[in-house]
Amino acid sequence: MFSSVATKRPLVAVIGTTGVGKSRVAIDVALACNGEVINADAMQVYRGLDTITNKVTDEEMKGVPHHLMGFKEPGEESFVTEWLTMALETIESIHKRNKLPIVVGGTSYWLQNLLFPNRIVTETNSAISKTRAKPDPQLQVALDHLDDDSLALFNNLPERPPTAGDDSEQTMRLWKLLDALDPEMAGRWHWKDSRKVLRNLEIIAEKGQKASEVIKGQDKDPLESRYRTMVLWPFSEDDILYPRLDKRVDQMIKSGLLEEIKTLQKISSNHGDSTSTSVDYSSGIYQSIGFKEFHDYLSSPSEEAFSVSVESMKRATQKYAKYQTKWIRSKFLPLAQAAPDTHTYVLDTSNADQWGLIEENAITLTNSFLNNTPLPPPSNITPLADRLLLSSTLSKPSAALSLQRKIPCKLCSTDPSDPFLVNEAEWNEHLNTKGHQRMVKSLKNREQYMEYLRRKELGSHGSQNTGTMGSNADMV
Ligand SMILES: [Zn+2]
């Protein structure tokens, strides 16, 4: 009997946060197992700017070919679909040469799209095919109810998401369009989150179906894997990783980070139109940590501004690492652990002095994987595996629909056209935030004042019962 193992080609994926030694693991495995590296880091697809994007040096590559690195101009957007198309071609050509493709990157959702082809990731910014499918009856009903302006907008979606700061009207129009077509999806996004809103509208246009229905449809398809895959996850404990990341920031500054940021500032001022009030720090290369953080220092340099910038870059780097780990554990791992022909191992890189052992583990595992010999339980490699791997469970794709639902806080919304939105899951936390408490307090003050006015009124006009306070009760 042929198993899928016999027909699928092998692939190694190295995932993990910034600063845990992913590139080093990949290069070690490539040298030992005749491999070539493919970059899956959204920042390293940009040309130049090697320091701010943390690219490996030629020396560190040790002659191992690295693909899909530095192929985009800074200032351009990078899209998952573009990367995916190129990655598939590159992997095919590596397989044809009888070599092992090793995909390495911190952009886990790119890897998800590559490894698990029938689970589309709807939450990310990417251009999808511009073809449009005929709307299904359910969507057609929603389209028939649109006014002419909204229909025209749907038939001619913008190329790129507007920013709420520069074009709040268009941003709101897009959200309202999504709300009209697919309220279940619209309820998940802040109206200012134009990337996700536009991405959902693109999916609706492309599939001819509500995006939420597309996701529900995925529940019926069993999870597939495109390759026979070995996932290696180098991991370092926070108390070791964070000081290491801090040190790396200091090193980056010594290696010319500020010059790169100045270059990037020039690029952004050439690309941005003059009406734009601010750089979009959430798009393309401008998301690189350091660019935003050093803005104030570079506009008016002082010793104090410098140390503030360094500190905020260090904090942002740690925050990013935390975010990456959370993504891996909550989104990537449940897929990797449920997918067929996919094996996941944690490599403990907390002690980088013992790299020999890390390297040996990575190579032994990959060799067993390639030779189809039995693989050890992940906890034999490191006890960390028990903590990091065993807790994840795969929920149905549609379960994501009930996550991140937003509720407006009436009390914190000062402008009705710009409602203050809170994640449903964080509602109780929100009630305890300083901002919300301040609003509660000012409401109480206002109530007391109204009460005072009312009493005064009552005093002068006799018994008059007003119920004005009742309407605010649901706000708290
Ligand atoms: Zn509030």
Side-chain angles (χ1 to χ4, degrees), residues 409-413 420 422 427 430-431 433 435-436 439 475:
C409 178
K410 287 186 198 165
L411 202 55
C412 292
S413 304
F420 188 93
V422 181
W427 181 253
H430 171 72
L431 296 183
T433 56
H436 183 87
M439 298 309 275
M475 289 184 174

Side-chain angles (χ1 to χ4, degrees), residues 104-207:
V104 185
T107 309
S108 301
Y109 72 83
W110 284 15
L111 277 159
Q112 272 164 244
N113 276 283
L114 173 70
L115 301 180
F116 315 114
N118 66 344
R119 290 292 181 271
I120 59 160
V121 182
T122 56
E123 297 166 25
T124 52
N125 170 37
S126 66
I128 59 174
S129 118
K130 295 289 173 200
T131 58
R132 283 171 173 246
K134 192 174 171 288
D136 72 1
Q138 212 186 354
L139 178 62
Q140 191 57 54
V141 171
L143 287 171
D144 290 344
H145 280 86
L146 290 181
D147 61 53
D148 292 349
D149 282 353
S150 304
L151 190 60
L153 181 62
F154 180 70
N155 288 328
N156 195 9
L157 292 171
E159 281 290 315
R160 48 182 58 232
T163 54
D166 290 340
D167 193 349
S168 63
E169 207 176 310
Q170 176 81 338
T171 308
M172 188 50 121
R173 281 182 70 209
L174 284 169
W175 184 85
K176 284 195 168 145
L177 174 61
L178 181 62
D179 192 40
L181 296 179
D182 191 350
E184 196 169 2
M185 285 309 267
R188 301 180 64 203
W189 316 130
H190 194 287
W191 67 270
K192 287 180 180 172
D193 207 341
S194 55
R195 270 157 214 291
K196 288 170 182 166
V197 170
L198 181 59
R199 165 87 168 140
N200 282 184
L201 288 167
E202 284 170 339
I203 289 172
I204 295 173
E206 194 203 60
K207 307 276 183 190

Side-chain angles (χ1 to χ4, degrees), residues 439-455:
M439 298 309 275
V440 173
K441 212 167 160 190
S442 79
L443 177 71
K444 283 204 179 118
N445 289 344
R446 206 156 65 230
E447 274 179 7
Q448 272 165 12
Y449 180 63
M450 299 284 275
E451 179 70 18
Y452 161 78
L453 287 183
R454 203 167 50 152
R455 276 171 202 277

Side-chain angles (χ1 to χ4, degrees), residues 119-415:
R119 290 292 181 271
I120 59 160
V121 182
T122 56
E123 297 166 25
T124 52
N125 170 37
S126 66
I128 59 174
S129 118
K130 295 289 173 200
T131 58
R132 283 171 173 246
K134 192 174 171 288
D136 72 1
Q138 212 186 354
L139 178 62
Q140 191 57 54
V141 171
L143 287 171
D144 290 344
H145 280 86
L146 290 181
D147 61 53
D148 292 349
D149 282 353
S150 304
L151 190 60
L153 181 62
F154 180 70
N155 288 328
N156 195 9
L157 292 171
E159 281 290 315
R160 48 182 58 232
T163 54
D166 290 340
D167 193 349
S168 63
E169 207 176 310
Q170 176 81 338
T171 308
M172 188 50 121
R173 281 182 70 209
L174 284 169
W175 184 85
K176 284 195 168 145
L177 174 61
L178 181 62
D179 192 40
L181 296 179
D182 191 350
E184 196 169 2
M185 285 309 267
R188 301 180 64 203
W189 316 130
H190 194 287
W191 67 270
K192 287 180 180 172
D193 207 341
S194 55
R195 270 157 214 291
K196 288 170 182 166
V197 170
L198 181 59
R199 165 87 168 140
N200 282 184
L201 288 167
E202 284 170 339
I203 289 172
I204 295 173
E206 194 203 60
K207 307 276 183 190
Q209 216 183 352
K210 294 182 181 188
S212 55
E213 292 301 319
V214 175
I215 292 182
K216 285 172 195 164
Q218 292 179 355
D219 285 357
K220 294 181 213 100
D221 305 329
L223 177 63
E224 287 168 15
S225 59
R226 206 189 296 264
Y227 305 100
R228 197 164 75 79
T229 306
M230 162 70 84
V231 177
L232 297 175
W233 179 14
F235 180 90
S236 300
E237 297 282 7
D238 291 352
D239 57 339
I240 288 158
L241 179 64
Y242 291 170
R244 197 192 285 163
L245 292 176
D246 284 357
K247 239 164 90 183
R248 198 181 62 180
V249 168
D250 295 330
Q251 189 54 48
M252 285 165 87
I253 293 164
K254 281 188 204 138
S255 320
L257 176 76
L258 295 188
E259 283 312 307
E260 287 190 359
I261 293 175
K262 282 183 205 158
T263 308
L264 211 42
Q265 285 183 331
K266 270 190 213 117
I267 294 167
S268 87
S269 64
N270 290 341
H271 273 259
D273 55 323
S274 49
T275 55
S276 174
T277 47
S278 57
V279 180
D280 182 2
Y281 290 112
S282 63
S283 112
I285 183 90
Y286 308 124
Q287 297 166 77
S288 309
I289 299 173
F291 182 54
K292 183 169 94 183
E293 285 73 16
F294 273 94
H295 177 269
D296 287 352
Y297 167 72
L298 289 173
S299 12
S300 67
S302 71
E303 218 167 286
E304 201 195 328
F306 180 76
S307 48
V308 169
S309 295
V310 174
E311 266 320 299
S312 73
M313 182 170 171
K314 286 178 177 172
R315 270 200 310 277
T317 307
Q318 293 183 4
K319 206 173 139 194
Y320 180 55
K322 209 172 270 175
Y323 164 81
Q324 285 177 307
T325 303
K326 198 175 155 198
W327 182 291
I328 290 170
R329 297 199 68 192
S330 64
K331 304 195 175 174
F332 184 89
L333 274 186
L335 289 168
Q337 292 190 266
D341 310 322
T342 306
H343 312 271
T344 305
Y345 285 88
V346 180
L347 300 169
D348 187 357
T349 56
S350 301
N351 191 347
D353 294 338
Q354 289 183 1
W355 195 267
L357 189 65
I358 299 163
E359 183 182 356
E360 196 189 310
N361 278 332
I363 293 171
T364 309
L365 285 167
T366 308
N367 276 326
S368 305
F369 163 74
L370 292 174
N371 298 327
N372 273 316
T373 51
L375 287 158
S379 54
N380 277 20
I381 304 301
T382 167
L384 278 177
D386 282 339
R387 199 180 90 211
L388 295 173
L389 297 182
L390 295 181
S391 51
S392 80
T393 47
L394 183 69
S395 40
K396 286 183 174 171
S398 64
L401 291 172
S402 57
L403 299 174
Q404 296 171 348
R405 196 161 296 283
K406 306 271 186 296
I407 326 175
C409 178
K410 287 186 198 165
L411 202 55
C412 292
S413 304
T414 43
D415 174 1

